[in-house]
Amino acid sequence: MKVLIIHPYRSHGGAESRIRTLVRGLADHDVIEELHLLHAGEPGFHEAEGKIHRWESDESSCAAVTEAIVTHRGVDVVQMHNEQELGTVGLERAQALGLPTIWVMHDFWPVCGMRFLTHVFAAEQTARCTEVDLDRCVGCVGEDQARLTRTMGAVIDRCTVGIVPTNRAREILEGNGLLSGHLEVIHPWIDLS
């Protein structure tokens, strides 16, 4: 199996530590033939070490880079981790190509039904709530962010499956109709397979 994981950052933060742990586990798994990681950066960058291939793209070329990796490397499934701008367009292209897609929420950002989809700093700086009304959310996170959230929500909702870190996250998402019936809970660090 060949997997493409779209994740924005390469070398900093807790989310990146989790990605590195996941990558090590997947690279050691017999069923994985190639593991491709697509990060934000300069389009055209590529390096490989064993089964692991690292690629870079910016938002404007992410769809084309995703399609090139998928078609030229024979990718079987595409995952997106927590991302918005870069990941959304890449995941959308993978869906248009008919690939199974997985959305992984590995951070604890469900401060409201949809606001975890916004920029994490905006999420941290706003009051917690459990209501979802994107017209109302505009006042909370801004019009551009609310529009991006609508787009991302639609792409995520077309995924084959979603993976969330807690039962509470699943309840919030399903309560707001996002990937309802297609969410799996995998607690962090417990089941890397």
Side-chain angles (χ1 to χ4, degrees):
M1 175 182 283
K2 297 180 182 181
V3 177
L4 169 61
I5 296 176
I6 302 173
H7 184 66
Y9 307 116
R10 181 165 180 165
S11 61
H12 67 280
E16 289 66 51
S17 297
R18 286 188 286 279
I19 289 288
R20 286 192 296 275
T21 300
L22 175 65
V23 166
R24 282 193 302 272
L26 287 173
D28 289 340
H29 204 292
D30 292 340
V31 77
I32 300 297
E33 185 181 343
E34 288 181 3
L35 182 59
H36 299 271
L37 301 167
L38 179 56
H39 306 279
E42 289 296 317
F45 172 85
H46 174 245
E47 68 179 14
E49 183 180 331
K51 294 181 181 181
I52 301 170
H53 295 259
R54 297 185 188 279
W55 307 84
E56 289 185 0
S57 179
D58 57 18
E59 185 182 358
S60 65
S61 60
C62 184
V65 170
T66 298
E67 184 168 346
I69 296 169
V70 164
T71 56
H72 293 112
R73 303 303 300 214
V75 168
D76 300 297
V77 64
V78 176
Q79 286 188 38
M80 178 176 81
H81 288 250
N82 273 22
E83 218 331 53
Q84 231 173 353
E85 291 108 347
L86 178 72
T88 300
V89 293
L91 198 66
E92 193 169 33
R93 181 58 60 93
Q95 291 169 344
L97 294 169
L99 283 176
T101 53
I102 301 169
W103 172 65
V104 180
M105 173 187 169
H106 54 75
D107 277 341
F108 295 83
W109 297 115
V111 292
C112 77
M114 293 289 273
R115 201 185 307 152
F116 72 93
L117 297 175
T118 67
H119 189 278
V120 294
F121 298 115
E124 287 179 326
Q125 294 164 3
T126 53
R128 294 175 182 264
C129 71
T130 56
E131 298 176 27
V132 175
D133 176 352
L134 286 174
D135 292 329
R136 185 182 134 305
C137 291
V138 167
C140 219
V141 297
E143 190 170 328
D144 288 345
Q145 197 65 56
R147 184 174 59 253
L148 189 58
T149 299
R150 285 186 195 97
T151 301
M152 185 179 182
V155 171
I156 287 172
D157 204 39
R158 291 193 300 268
C159 284
T160 310
V161 68
I163 297 172
V164 294
T166 64
N167 290 326
R168 178 65 179 137
R170 179 173 57 191
E171 288 170 12
I172 291 170
L173 298 180
E174 288 184 341
N176 291 291
L178 190 64
L179 274 171
S180 188
H182 297 282
L183 288 169
E184 298 288 335
V185 176
I186 299 178
H187 300 289
W189 307 113
I190 292 175
D191 184 358
L192 292 176
S193 66

